[in-house]
Amino acid sequence: MSEPKFTPGPWVNVTRYIESEKEHGIVNDGWRIAECMGSDGDANAHLIAAAPILYKALEAMLTYTADLNPMQGFDDLDHDAVKQAYYALARARGEGCVK
């Protein structure tokens, strides 16, 4: 997998503004990532702020799943859920996306 190019987390939800606690490894007062508007703005802000955590969790899950294959006979790496996870990470990195 290639290295993601997005602003590193953690990201925080500051009243519908998503901010990074760091910009390229340098601690700062917040680098604005997004602003969520509309009636579902709070829910969208929570989801966006969780994106870096979700990305790392999905990477860890796929590594764990791959490690199970030779050790425990897990032979379902072709499963739709695994394919969707790889696709989601690729989309997050901007690979294979409609631009």
Side-chain angles (χ1 to χ4, degrees):
M1 278 187 247
S2 65
E3 196 65 27
K5 296 178 183 163
F6 52 78
T7 303
W11 295 353
V12 292
N13 178 5
V14 183
T15 316
R16 295 186 177 207
Y17 290 104
I18 310 306
E19 295 182 352
S20 169
E21 292 181 358
K22 298 179 181 180
E23 171 59 10
H24 304 290
I26 301 168
V27 176
N28 62 19
D29 292 331
W31 181 263
R32 184 153 300 155
I33 304 291
E35 177 181 5
C36 298
M37 308 196 43
S39 61
D40 52 359
D42 287 334
N44 291 340
H46 290 298
L47 178 61
I48 293 168
I53 298 164
L54 293 169
Y55 185 93
K56 286 185 183 284
L58 199 50
E59 273 188 322
M61 187 277 303
L62 286 174
T63 299
Y64 175 76
T65 302
D67 288 349
L68 286 178
N69 188 24
M71 295 180 349
Q72 298 182 16
F74 184 81
D75 61 358
D76 209 5
L77 294 178
D78 242 9
H79 192 278
D80 282 343
V82 174
K83 289 178 183 177
Q84 289 176 24
Y86 278 112
Y87 177 72
L89 289 175
R91 288 283 309 255
R93 291 188 301 268
E95 300 168 0
C97 299
V98 176
K99 296 184 181 186

